Amino acid sequence: MMGALPPFAGTARLRAVLRQDEPFLLRLYHSVRAPELLLLPWSEAEKRAFVADQFRLQQAHYRKNCPGAAYWIVEDMNGCAIGRLSLDRTGAEWRLIELALLPEARSRGIGTQLIGWVQQAARTADAEAVTLHVEVTNQSACRLYRRLGFMEAPSQFATHRFLRWTG
């Protein structure tokens, strides 16, 4: 299932994550976690330290559990980083590990285009399914995935929905 992917042809571009992207990825991660941090009575320094620790743990988890995955930076057409897409195609079921966009890049159709590209590539490669986890509180993402044909399946995590697309 690891053949070459067709080029992404949308209103954004993809390129492999580089070591020098880490500051951007930390900023992106912070933007995803920001809503829940608003509720905490911590100082800004405590919130930054927490996010940095959580980001480091997330990256270590991805490297350990998805060593064959592809990690891309999503760029706008001017070459500015606006998100990340992570996809593990090493099994019969592909796993969409992460699709995250900066707040200013959301609701512009980019996520829909990226997911459609993954779905088409999975169909072409005869993958059995594309799966993902999404936080139960992320209602906009849940609506997007459902609109694109993902169905809920039993999840081992109370905090996340497990979604599956079989084409």
Side-chain angles (χ1 to χ4, degrees):
M1 297 281 169
M2 285 290 291
L5 288 169
F8 175 69
T11 57
R13 297 187 293 217
L14 295 176
R15 67 164 174 81
V17 170
L18 305 171
R19 176 163 290 230
Q20 57 263 36
D21 291 317
E22 191 157 320
F24 165 74
L25 292 171
L26 178 57
R27 183 168 63 95
L28 175 65
Y29 184 77
H30 185 272
S31 77
V32 170
R33 300 293 303 264
E36 70 189 84
L37 295 176
L38 290 174
L39 306 173
L40 299 175
W42 298 348
S43 70
E44 284 306 310
E46 289 171 318
K47 290 177 183 180
R48 280 193 305 274
F50 173 78
V51 167
D53 283 344
Q54 293 294 300
F55 174 74
R56 181 183 48 76
L57 290 169
Q58 180 197 58
Q59 300 313 296
H61 174 79
Y62 287 171
R63 283 190 297 276
K64 178 182 176 196
N65 293 297
C66 305
Y71 300 93
W72 295 285
I73 294 291
V74 181
E75 295 180 331
D76 65 18
M77 297 312 275
N78 296 318
C80 295
I82 58 170
R84 174 161 82 169
L85 175 66
S86 306
L87 179 66
D88 187 348
R89 302 179 297 131
T90 59
E93 291 191 0
W94 291 10
R95 177 149 183 240
L96 184 57
I97 301 165
E98 181 180 35
L99 172 54
L101 297 169
L102 290 173
E104 59 269 23
R106 297 176 194 155
S107 300
R108 294 182 12 208
I110 297 167
T112 298
Q113 292 172 14
L114 289 165
I115 296 163
W117 174 70
V118 168
Q119 290 172 314
Q120 183 57 47
R123 184 180 291 119
T124 300
D126 290 325
E128 291 177 13
V130 176
T131 65
L132 59 93
H133 284 92
V134 63
E135 288 186 19
V136 296
T137 57
N138 191 342
Q139 294 302 316
S140 61
C142 290
R143 282 191 302 273
L144 170 66
Y145 291 122
R146 285 192 185 108
R147 182 170 54 82
L148 296 175
F150 284 81
M151 304 297 290
E152 194 163 341
S155 176
Q156 64 188 44
F157 306 109
T159 58
H160 288 75
R161 297 182 196 282
F162 180 65
L163 302 177
R164 193 167 190 269
W165 175 84
T166 58

Short mmCIF file of all heavy atoms in Angstrom, two decimals, residues 48-104:
data_model
loop_
_atom_site.label_atom_id
_atom_site.label_comp_id
_atom_site.label_asym_id
_atom_site.label_seq_id
_atom_site.Cartn_x
_atom_site.Cartn_y
_atom_site.Cartn_z
N ARG A 48 2.32 28.04 27.92
CA ARG A 48 3.35 27.78 26.89
C ARG A 48 4.18 26.55 27.25
O ARG A 48 4.47 25.73 26.38
CB ARG A 48 4.25 29.00 26.72
CG ARG A 48 3.66 30.08 25.85
CD ARG A 48 4.69 31.14 25.45
NE ARG A 48 5.36 31.73 26.59
CZ ARG A 48 4.90 32.78 27.29
NH1 ARG A 48 3.76 33.34 26.95
NH2 ARG A 48 5.58 33.25 28.31
N ALA A 49 4.55 26.41 28.53
CA ALA A 49 5.34 25.25 28.97
C ALA A 49 4.53 23.97 28.80
O ALA A 49 5.06 22.95 28.33
CB ALA A 49 5.78 25.44 30.41
N PHE A 50 3.25 24.01 29.15
CA PHE A 50 2.39 22.85 29.01
C PHE A 50 2.28 22.44 27.54
O PHE A 50 2.43 21.26 27.20
CB PHE A 50 1.00 23.16 29.58
CG PHE A 50 -0.01 22.08 29.32
CD1 PHE A 50 -0.03 20.92 30.06
CD2 PHE A 50 -0.97 22.24 28.31
CE1 PHE A 50 -0.96 19.92 29.81
CE2 PHE A 50 -1.90 21.26 28.06
CZ PHE A 50 -1.90 20.09 28.81
N VAL A 51 2.02 23.41 26.68
CA VAL A 51 1.89 23.12 25.24
C VAL A 51 3.19 22.56 24.69
O VAL A 51 3.18 21.60 23.92
CB VAL A 51 1.42 24.37 24.47
CG1 VAL A 51 1.58 24.19 22.97
CG2 VAL A 51 -0.03 24.68 24.81
N ALA A 52 4.32 23.13 25.08
CA ALA A 52 5.61 22.63 24.60
C ALA A 52 5.83 21.18 25.03
O ALA A 52 6.29 20.35 24.24
CB ALA A 52 6.74 23.52 25.10
N ASP A 53 5.49 20.85 26.27
CA ASP A 53 5.62 19.47 26.75
C ASP A 53 4.69 18.53 26.00
O ASP A 53 5.08 17.44 25.59
CB ASP A 53 5.32 19.38 28.25
CG ASP A 53 6.46 19.87 29.12
OD1 ASP A 53 7.59 20.01 28.61
OD2 ASP A 53 6.22 20.13 30.31
N GLN A 54 3.44 18.94 25.83
CA GLN A 54 2.48 18.11 25.13
C GLN A 54 2.89 17.89 23.67
O GLN A 54 2.75 16.79 23.13
CB GLN A 54 1.08 18.73 25.20
CG GLN A 54 0.49 18.73 26.59
CD GLN A 54 0.21 17.33 27.08
OE1 GLN A 54 -0.56 16.59 26.49
NE2 GLN A 54 0.87 16.95 28.16
N PHE A 55 3.40 18.94 23.03
CA PHE A 55 3.87 18.84 21.66
C PHE A 55 5.03 17.84 21.57
O PHE A 55 5.03 16.96 20.69
CB PHE A 55 4.31 20.21 21.15
CG PHE A 55 4.95 20.18 19.79
CD1 PHE A 55 4.18 19.98 18.64
CD2 PHE A 55 6.31 20.35 19.64
CE1 PHE A 55 4.76 19.94 17.39
CE2 PHE A 55 6.90 20.32 18.39
CZ PHE A 55 6.13 20.11 17.27
N ARG A 56 5.98 17.94 22.49
CA ARG A 56 7.13 17.02 22.49
C ARG A 56 6.65 15.58 22.66
O ARG A 56 7.10 14.67 21.95
CB ARG A 56 8.09 17.42 23.62
CG ARG A 56 9.32 16.56 23.70
CD ARG A 56 10.22 16.96 24.89
NE ARG A 56 9.49 17.11 26.16
CZ ARG A 56 9.06 16.09 26.91
NH1 ARG A 56 9.27 14.85 26.53
NH2 ARG A 56 8.43 16.31 28.06
N LEU A 57 5.69 15.35 23.56
CA LEU A 57 5.16 14.01 23.76
C LEU A 57 4.41 13.51 22.53
O LEU A 57 4.52 12.33 22.16
CB LEU A 57 4.24 14.00 24.99
CG LEU A 57 4.93 14.18 26.32
CD1 LEU A 57 3.91 14.42 27.43
CD2 LEU A 57 5.82 12.98 26.65
N GLN A 58 3.66 14.39 21.88
CA GLN A 58 2.94 14.00 20.67
C GLN A 58 3.91 13.56 19.58
O GLN A 58 3.72 12.53 18.93
CB GLN A 58 2.08 15.15 20.16
CG GLN A 58 1.31 14.81 18.90
CD GLN A 58 0.80 16.03 18.18
OE1 GLN A 58 1.58 16.90 17.80
NE2 GLN A 58 -0.51 16.10 17.99
N GLN A 59 4.96 14.34 19.38
CA GLN A 59 5.94 14.02 18.34
C GLN A 59 6.62 12.69 18.63
O GLN A 59 6.82 11.88 17.72
CB GLN A 59 6.96 15.14 18.20
CG GLN A 59 6.36 16.49 17.81
CD GLN A 59 5.39 16.39 16.66
OE1 GLN A 59 5.75 16.04 15.55
NE2 GLN A 59 4.13 16.70 16.92
N ALA A 60 6.98 12.45 19.87
CA ALA A 60 7.61 11.18 20.25
C ALA A 60 6.65 10.02 20.02
O ALA A 60 7.05 8.95 19.53
CB ALA A 60 8.06 11.23 21.71
N HIS A 61 5.39 10.22 20.35
CA HIS A 61 4.37 9.19 20.13
C HIS A 61 4.24 8.86 18.65
O HIS A 61 4.20 7.69 18.26
CB HIS A 61 3.03 9.66 20.71
CG HIS A 61 1.90 8.74 20.42
ND1 HIS A 61 1.69 7.58 21.13
CD2 HIS A 61 0.92 8.79 19.48
CE1 HIS A 61 0.62 6.96 20.65
NE2 HIS A 61 0.14 7.68 19.65
N TYR A 62 4.17 9.89 17.81
CA TYR A 62 4.06 9.66 16.37
C TYR A 62 5.27 8.89 15.85
O TYR A 62 5.13 7.94 15.07
CB TYR A 62 3.96 10.99 15.61
CG TYR A 62 2.64 11.72 15.75
CD1 TYR A 62 2.51 13.00 15.26
CD2 TYR A 62 1.52 11.15 16.34
CE1 TYR A 62 1.31 13.71 15.36
CE2 TYR A 62 0.33 11.84 16.46
CZ TYR A 62 0.23 13.12 15.96
OH TYR A 62 -0.94 13.80 16.07
N ARG A 63 6.47 9.30 16.24
CA ARG A 63 7.68 8.62 15.75
C ARG A 63 7.72 7.16 16.18
O ARG A 63 8.13 6.30 15.43
CB ARG A 63 8.93 9.36 16.23
CG ARG A 63 9.23 10.63 15.46
CD ARG A 63 10.61 11.19 15.78
NE ARG A 63 10.75 11.59 17.17
CZ ARG A 63 10.37 12.76 17.68
NH1 ARG A 63 9.82 13.66 16.90
NH2 ARG A 63 10.55 13.03 18.95
N LYS A 64 7.29 6.90 17.42
CA LYS A 64 7.32 5.53 17.93
C LYS A 64 6.25 4.65 17.30
O LYS A 64 6.51 3.52 16.91
CB LYS A 64 7.15 5.54 19.45
CG LYS A 64 7.12 4.16 20.05
CD LYS A 64 6.89 4.20 21.54
CE LYS A 64 6.79 2.78 22.08
NZ LYS A 64 6.21 2.75 23.41
N ASN A 65 5.03 5.17 17.20
CA ASN A 65 3.90 4.35 16.78
C ASN A 65 3.59 4.38 15.29
O ASN A 65 2.84 3.53 14.81
CB ASN A 65 2.66 4.75 17.57
CG ASN A 65 2.81 4.41 19.03
OD1 ASN A 65 2.93 3.24 19.39
ND2 ASN A 65 2.85 5.42 19.88
N CYS A 66 4.14 5.35 14.58
CA CYS A 66 3.89 5.47 13.14
C CYS A 66 5.20 5.76 12.41
O CYS A 66 5.33 6.78 11.72
CB CYS A 66 2.88 6.58 12.87
SG CYS A 66 1.33 6.41 13.77
N PRO A 67 6.18 4.87 12.54
CA PRO A 67 7.50 5.18 11.96
C PRO A 67 7.53 5.26 10.44
O PRO A 67 8.39 5.91 9.87
CB PRO A 67 8.39 4.03 12.47
CG PRO A 67 7.43 2.90 12.73
CD PRO A 67 6.16 3.56 13.18
N GLY A 68 6.57 4.64 9.78
CA GLY A 68 6.54 4.67 8.32
C GLY A 68 5.61 5.72 7.74
O GLY A 68 5.40 5.76 6.52
N ALA A 69 5.07 6.58 8.59
CA ALA A 69 4.11 7.58 8.12
C ALA A 69 4.80 8.71 7.37
O ALA A 69 6.00 8.94 7.51
CB ALA A 69 3.34 8.15 9.31
N ALA A 70 4.01 9.40 6.56
CA ALA A 70 4.47 10.59 5.85
C ALA A 70 3.95 11.81 6.59
O ALA A 70 2.79 11.85 7.02
CB ALA A 70 3.95 10.59 4.42
N TYR A 71 4.82 12.80 6.75
CA TYR A 71 4.48 14.04 7.46
C TYR A 71 4.74 15.20 6.52
O TYR A 71 5.86 15.40 6.07
CB TYR A 71 5.30 14.17 8.74
CG TYR A 71 5.08 13.03 9.70
CD1 TYR A 71 5.89 11.90 9.68
CD2 TYR A 71 4.03 13.07 10.60
CE1 TYR A 71 5.67 10.84 10.55
CE2 TYR A 71 3.80 12.01 11.47
CZ TYR A 71 4.63 10.91 11.44
OH TYR A 71 4.40 9.87 12.30
N TRP A 72 3.68 15.96 6.23
CA TRP A 72 3.80 17.09 5.30
C TRP A 72 3.44 18.39 5.98
O TRP A 72 2.56 18.44 6.85
CB TRP A 72 2.84 16.93 4.12
CG TRP A 72 3.11 15.77 3.22
CD1 TRP A 72 4.11 15.66 2.29
CD2 TRP A 72 2.34 14.57 3.11
NE1 TRP A 72 4.00 14.45 1.62
CE2 TRP A 72 2.92 13.77 2.12
CE3 TRP A 72 1.20 14.10 3.77
CZ2 TRP A 72 2.42 12.53 1.75
CZ3 TRP A 72 0.69 12.86 3.42
CH2 TRP A 72 1.31 12.10 2.42
N ILE A 73 4.06 19.45 5.50
CA ILE A 73 3.64 20.81 5.82
C ILE A 73 2.67 21.23 4.72
O ILE A 73 2.94 21.00 3.53
CB ILE A 73 4.85 21.79 5.85
CG1 ILE A 73 5.78 21.43 7.02
CG2 ILE A 73 4.39 23.24 5.92
CD1 ILE A 73 5.21 21.71 8.39
N VAL A 74 1.56 21.81 5.11
CA VAL A 74 0.61 22.37 4.16
C VAL A 74 0.99 23.84 4.01
O VAL A 74 1.11 24.56 5.00
CB VAL A 74 -0.84 22.24 4.66
CG1 VAL A 74 -1.82 22.81 3.64
CG2 VAL A 74 -1.18 20.78 4.99
N GLU A 75 1.22 24.26 2.78
CA GLU A 75 1.57 25.65 2.50
C GLU A 75 0.50 26.29 1.62
O GLU A 75 -0.12 25.61 0.79
CB GLU A 75 2.90 25.73 1.74
CG GLU A 75 4.09 25.25 2.52
CD GLU A 75 5.39 25.35 1.74
OE1 GLU A 75 5.36 25.27 0.48
OE2 GLU A 75 6.44 25.50 2.38
N ASP A 76 0.31 27.59 1.81
CA ASP A 76 -0.56 28.31 0.89
C ASP A 76 0.18 28.48 -0.44
O ASP A 76 1.35 28.08 -0.57
CB ASP A 76 -1.06 29.63 1.48
CG ASP A 76 0.04 30.66 1.72
OD1 ASP A 76 1.15 30.54 1.15
OD2 ASP A 76 -0.22 31.60 2.49
N MET A 77 -0.45 29.08 -1.41
CA MET A 77 0.17 29.18 -2.73
C MET A 77 1.34 30.17 -2.75
O MET A 77 2.08 30.23 -3.73
CB MET A 77 -0.88 29.55 -3.78
CG MET A 77 -1.97 28.47 -3.92
SD MET A 77 -1.33 26.78 -4.09
CE MET A 77 -1.03 26.72 -5.83
N ASN A 78 1.55 30.91 -1.66
CA ASN A 78 2.71 31.79 -1.53
C ASN A 78 3.86 31.12 -0.81
O ASN A 78 4.89 31.75 -0.56
CB ASN A 78 2.32 33.08 -0.79
CG ASN A 78 1.31 33.89 -1.56
OD1 ASN A 78 1.41 34.03 -2.77
ND2 ASN A 78 0.29 34.37 -0.86
N GLY A 79 3.69 29.86 -0.44
CA GLY A 79 4.75 29.12 0.24
C GLY A 79 4.79 29.33 1.74
O GLY A 79 5.75 28.94 2.39
N CYS A 80 3.74 29.92 2.32
CA CYS A 80 3.68 30.12 3.77
C CYS A 80 3.04 28.90 4.41
O CYS A 80 1.99 28.43 3.97
CB CYS A 80 2.86 31.36 4.11
SG CYS A 80 3.60 32.88 3.54
N ALA A 81 3.66 28.39 5.47
CA ALA A 81 3.13 27.23 6.18
C ALA A 81 1.82 27.59 6.85
O ALA A 81 1.72 28.60 7.56
CB ALA A 81 4.14 26.75 7.20
N ILE A 82 0.81 26.75 6.61
CA ILE A 82 -0.51 26.99 7.20
C ILE A 82 -1.06 25.75 7.91
O ILE A 82 -2.12 25.81 8.53
CB ILE A 82 -1.54 27.46 6.15
CG1 ILE A 82 -1.67 26.43 5.02
CG2 ILE A 82 -1.17 28.84 5.62
CD1 ILE A 82 -2.82 26.69 4.06
N GLY A 83 -0.34 24.61 7.84
CA GLY A 83 -0.86 23.42 8.49
C GLY A 83 0.04 22.22 8.33
O GLY A 83 1.17 22.32 7.83
N ARG A 84 -0.48 21.10 8.79
CA ARG A 84 0.24 19.83 8.68
C ARG A 84 -0.74 18.71 8.38
O ARG A 84 -1.86 18.69 8.88
CB ARG A 84 0.98 19.52 9.97
CG ARG A 84 1.62 18.12 9.91
CD ARG A 84 2.69 17.91 10.90
NE ARG A 84 2.20 17.56 12.22
CZ ARG A 84 2.99 17.12 13.18
NH1 ARG A 84 4.28 16.99 12.98
NH2 ARG A 84 2.50 16.83 14.35
N LEU A 85 -0.27 17.79 7.55
CA LEU A 85 -1.00 16.56 7.23
C LEU A 85 -0.06 15.40 7.50
O LEU A 85 1.09 15.41 7.04
CB LEU A 85 -1.43 16.57 5.76
CG LEU A 85 -2.10 15.30 5.24
CD1 LEU A 85 -3.44 15.07 5.92
CD2 LEU A 85 -2.28 15.38 3.73
N SER A 86 -0.54 14.43 8.26
CA SER A 86 0.24 13.24 8.58
C SER A 86 -0.59 12.02 8.23
O SER A 86 -1.75 11.92 8.65
CB SER A 86 0.59 13.22 10.07
OG SER A 86 1.23 14.42 10.45
N LEU A 87 0.01 11.10 7.49
CA LEU A 87 -0.72 9.94 6.97
C LEU A 87 0.14 8.70 7.03
O LEU A 87 1.28 8.69 6.55
CB LEU A 87 -1.13 10.22 5.51
CG LEU A 87 -1.87 9.13 4.76
CD1 LEU A 87 -3.26 8.89 5.38
CD2 LEU A 87 -2.01 9.49 3.28
N ASP A 88 -0.41 7.64 7.62
CA ASP A 88 0.28 6.36 7.68
C ASP A 88 -0.39 5.41 6.68
O ASP A 88 -1.56 5.06 6.84
CB ASP A 88 0.20 5.79 9.09
CG ASP A 88 1.03 4.54 9.27
OD1 ASP A 88 1.51 3.96 8.27
OD2 ASP A 88 1.22 4.12 10.43
N ARG A 89 0.37 5.03 5.65
CA ARG A 89 -0.14 4.14 4.60
C ARG A 89 0.50 2.77 4.66
O ARG A 89 0.51 2.04 3.68
CB ARG A 89 0.14 4.75 3.22
CG ARG A 89 -0.45 6.13 3.03
CD ARG A 89 -0.13 6.71 1.66
NE ARG A 89 1.30 6.90 1.47
CZ ARG A 89 1.99 6.50 0.40
NH1 ARG A 89 1.39 5.89 -0.61
NH2 ARG A 89 3.28 6.71 0.31
N THR A 90 1.04 2.39 5.81
CA THR A 90 1.79 1.14 5.89
C THR A 90 0.91 -0.09 6.04
O THR A 90 1.39 -1.20 5.86
CB THR A 90 2.81 1.18 7.06
OG1 THR A 90 2.10 1.42 8.28
CG2 THR A 90 3.85 2.26 6.84
N GLY A 91 -0.36 0.08 6.35
CA GLY A 91 -1.25 -1.07 6.52
C GLY A 91 -2.34 -1.09 5.46
O GLY A 91 -2.43 -0.21 4.60
N ALA A 92 -3.18 -2.10 5.55
CA ALA A 92 -4.30 -2.21 4.62
C ALA A 92 -5.30 -1.07 4.84
O ALA A 92 -5.96 -0.65 3.90
CB ALA A 92 -5.00 -3.56 4.80
N GLU A 93 -5.40 -0.61 6.07
CA GLU A 93 -6.20 0.56 6.39
C GLU A 93 -5.25 1.73 6.61
O GLU A 93 -4.34 1.65 7.43
CB GLU A 93 -7.04 0.34 7.65
CG GLU A 93 -8.14 -0.66 7.45
CD GLU A 93 -9.13 -0.68 8.60
OE1 GLU A 93 -8.97 0.10 9.56
OE2 GLU A 93 -10.08 -1.48 8.52
N TRP A 94 -5.44 2.78 5.85
CA TRP A 94 -4.61 3.98 6.02
C TRP A 94 -5.11 4.74 7.23
O TRP A 94 -6.32 4.77 7.51
CB TRP A 94 -4.70 4.86 4.79
CG TRP A 94 -4.04 4.29 3.57
CD1 TRP A 94 -3.55 3.03 3.40
CD2 TRP A 94 -3.82 4.96 2.34
NE1 TRP A 94 -3.03 2.88 2.14
CE2 TRP A 94 -3.19 4.06 1.46
CE3 TRP A 94 -4.09 6.25 1.89
CZ2 TRP A 94 -2.82 4.40 0.18
CZ3 TRP A 94 -3.73 6.60 0.61
CH2 TRP A 94 -3.09 5.68 -0.24
N ARG A 95 -4.18 5.39 7.92
CA ARG A 95 -4.55 6.16 9.10
C ARG A 95 -4.20 7.63 8.89
O ARG A 95 -3.04 7.98 8.69
CB ARG A 95 -3.82 5.64 10.33
CG ARG A 95 -4.15 6.48 11.54
CD ARG A 95 -4.12 5.68 12.81
NE ARG A 95 -4.51 6.55 13.90
CZ ARG A 95 -3.74 6.82 14.93
NH1 ARG A 95 -2.56 6.29 15.03
NH2 ARG A 95 -4.17 7.62 15.87
N LEU A 96 -5.21 8.46 8.92
CA LEU A 96 -5.00 9.90 8.88
C LEU A 96 -4.67 10.31 10.31
O LEU A 96 -5.53 10.40 11.17
CB LEU A 96 -6.25 10.61 8.37
CG LEU A 96 -6.18 12.11 8.17
CD1 LEU A 96 -5.05 12.49 7.22
CD2 LEU A 96 -7.50 12.63 7.67
N ILE A 97 -3.38 10.50 10.56
CA ILE A 97 -2.90 10.76 11.91
C ILE A 97 -3.27 12.17 12.34
O ILE A 97 -3.71 12.39 13.47
CB ILE A 97 -1.37 10.58 11.98
CG1 ILE A 97 -0.99 9.16 11.58
CG2 ILE A 97 -0.84 10.92 13.37
CD1 ILE A 97 0.48 8.99 11.28
N GLU A 98 -3.06 13.11 11.44
CA GLU A 98 -3.30 14.50 11.81
C GLU A 98 -3.57 15.34 10.57
O GLU A 98 -2.89 15.21 9.57
CB GLU A 98 -2.08 15.07 12.55
CG GLU A 98 -2.24 16.50 12.99
CD GLU A 98 -1.03 17.04 13.71
OE1 GLU A 98 0.11 16.67 13.36
OE2 GLU A 98 -1.23 17.84 14.63
N LEU A 99 -4.56 16.17 10.70
CA LEU A 99 -4.80 17.25 9.75
C LEU A 99 -5.10 18.47 10.60
O LEU A 99 -6.13 18.53 11.27
CB LEU A 99 -5.97 16.94 8.81
CG LEU A 99 -6.41 18.09 7.90
CD1 LEU A 99 -5.25 18.63 7.07
CD2 LEU A 99 -7.54 17.64 7.00
N ALA A 100 -4.17 19.40 10.61
CA ALA A 100 -4.33 20.60 11.42
C ALA A 100 -3.99 21.81 10.57
O ALA A 100 -2.99 21.80 9.83
CB ALA A 100 -3.40 20.55 12.64
N LEU A 101 -4.83 22.83 10.66
CA LEU A 101 -4.61 24.08 9.94
C LEU A 101 -4.66 25.23 10.92
O LEU A 101 -5.40 25.19 11.91
CB LEU A 101 -5.69 24.28 8.87
CG LEU A 101 -5.75 23.25 7.75
CD1 LEU A 101 -7.00 23.42 6.92
CD2 LEU A 101 -4.51 23.33 6.87
N LEU A 102 -3.86 26.26 10.65
CA LEU A 102 -3.94 27.47 11.45
C LEU A 102 -5.35 28.04 11.38
O LEU A 102 -6.04 27.85 10.36
CB LEU A 102 -2.94 28.51 10.95
CG LEU A 102 -1.46 28.20 11.18
CD1 LEU A 102 -0.59 29.24 10.47
CD2 LEU A 102 -1.14 28.16 12.68
N PRO A 103 -5.80 28.74 12.41
CA PRO A 103 -7.18 29.27 12.40
C PRO A 103 -7.51 30.08 11.15
O PRO A 103 -8.60 29.95 10.60
CB PRO A 103 -7.23 30.14 13.67
CG PRO A 103 -6.22 29.52 14.57
CD PRO A 103 -5.12 29.02 13.67
N GLU A 104 -6.57 30.88 10.67
CA GLU A 104 -6.85 31.71 9.49
C GLU A 104 -6.93 30.91 8.19
O GLU A 104 -7.40 31.42 7.17
CB GLU A 104 -5.81 32.83 9.36
CG GLU A 104 -4.39 32.36 9.23
CD GLU A 104 -3.64 32.21 10.55
OE1 GLU A 104 -4.28 32.05 11.63
OE2 GLU A 104 -2.41 32.22 10.51
#
